[in-house]
């Protein structure tokens, strides 16, 4: 609870500076402003894992506020080495769907399922974008599996 509150508090400080440049490299702190005084005000002594969680929350906020280019930039940096890559790829899938980029969305949702995301919602996203890409065999397989589960249940 405390960690989540800390992340939301930090987001409240960062959101007004959406023009900021966010970088993430091993052991490097978040760079969020060109002015040193603004950057010092944001230092909360976050661990690398906390920084990554913050950036994931920040990317989700950017998607909700339709700032897709910035969200994609953050997510692509987080894609490698994130503790929960499943969450990163889910956000990428949602981002690409909102941008009407079904090929990339399909690749992201396929990665979600490959990484162990087996929820009905994950499969539904993949089935929908596969239909958009005219890859009917993927959608058909998902729908038939659901139908089989429904009949057995």
């Amino acid at each position: 609870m405390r960690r989540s509150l800390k992340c939301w508090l930090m987001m409240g400080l960062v959101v007004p500076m959406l023009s900021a440049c966010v970088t993430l490299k091993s052991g490097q702190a978040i760079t969020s402003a060109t002015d040193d005084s603004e950057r010092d005000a944001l230092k909360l002594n976050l661990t690398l894992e906390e920084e990554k969680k913050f950036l994931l929350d920040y990317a989700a906020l950017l998607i909700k506020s339709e700032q897709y280019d910035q969200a994609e930039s953050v997510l692509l940096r987080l894609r490698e080495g994130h503790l929960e890559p499943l969450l990163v790829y889910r956000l990428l899938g949602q981002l690409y769907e909102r941008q009407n980029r079904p090929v990339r969305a399909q690749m992201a949702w396929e990665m979600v399922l490959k990484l162990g995301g087996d929820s009905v919602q994950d499969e539904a996203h993949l089935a929908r974008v596969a239909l958009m890409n005219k890859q009917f065999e993927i959608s058909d397989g998902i729908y038939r599996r659901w139908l089989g589960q429904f009949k057995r249940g």
Side-chain angles (χ1 to χ4, degrees), residues 3-17 30 32 39 41-46 50-51 54-55 58:
R3 187 161 121 191
S4 179
L5 179 61
K6 194 179 205 182
C7 288
W8 282 107
L9 176 63
M10 190 166 187
M11 281 178 54
L13 296 172
V14 172
V15 171
M17 295 181 277
I30 297 173
S32 60
R39 189 170 45 247
L42 294 175
K43 288 183 181 175
L44 295 177
N45 298 323
L46 297 177
E50 290 171 330
E51 278 186 34
F54 165 75
L55 288 173
Y58 180 59

Side-chain angles (χ1 to χ4, degrees), residues 17-23 30-34 58 70 77:
M17 295 181 277
L18 289 177
S19 62
C21 173
V22 178
T23 60
I30 297 173
T31 303
S32 60
T34 56
Y58 180 59
Q70 288 177 301
R77 282 189 221 123

Side-chain angles (χ1 to χ4, degrees), residues 6-144:
K6 194 179 205 182
C7 288
W8 282 107
L9 176 63
M10 190 166 187
M11 281 178 54
L13 296 172
V14 172
V15 171
M17 295 181 277
L18 289 177
S19 62
C21 173
V22 178
T23 60
L24 177 66
K25 294 182 182 171
S26 181
Q28 182 179 8
I30 297 173
T31 303
S32 60
T34 56
D35 183 64
D36 287 338
S37 63
E38 290 177 5
R39 189 170 45 247
D40 289 340
L42 294 175
K43 288 183 181 175
L44 295 177
N45 298 323
L46 297 177
T47 66
L48 186 58
E49 291 79 23
E50 290 171 330
E51 278 186 34
K52 290 178 180 180
K53 172 68 172 124
F54 165 75
L55 288 173
L56 193 65
D57 291 340
Y58 180 59
L61 181 65
L62 289 171
I63 292 170
K64 286 180 184 175
S65 63
E66 298 180 0
Q67 297 183 29
Y68 301 130
D69 292 337
Q70 288 177 301
E72 183 177 20
S73 176
V74 171
L75 289 169
L76 291 177
R77 282 189 221 123
L78 282 174
R79 189 173 49 181
E80 304 302 322
H82 195 274
L83 297 175
E84 299 180 49
L86 185 65
L87 299 176
V88 174
Y89 281 100
R90 276 188 180 132
L91 285 175
L92 278 170
Q94 293 171 13
L95 169 73
Y96 293 139
E97 282 187 68
R98 287 185 177 205
Q99 289 181 309
N100 197 26
R101 295 165 69 183
V103 173
R104 286 187 180 230
Q106 182 175 337
M107 290 189 301
W109 289 113
E110 286 172 345
M111 186 59 97
V112 167
L113 294 178
K114 182 179 178 182
L115 292 169
D118 57 359
S119 73
V120 172
Q121 290 87 1
D122 295 334
E123 290 179 327
H125 283 288
L126 176 58
R128 183 175 51 251
V129 294
L131 283 174
M132 293 168 71
N133 291 324
K134 298 184 181 355
Q135 294 190 359
F136 304 116
E137 65 281 351
I138 294 173
S139 299
D140 187 56
I142 292 170
Y143 297 143
R144 287 183 189 275

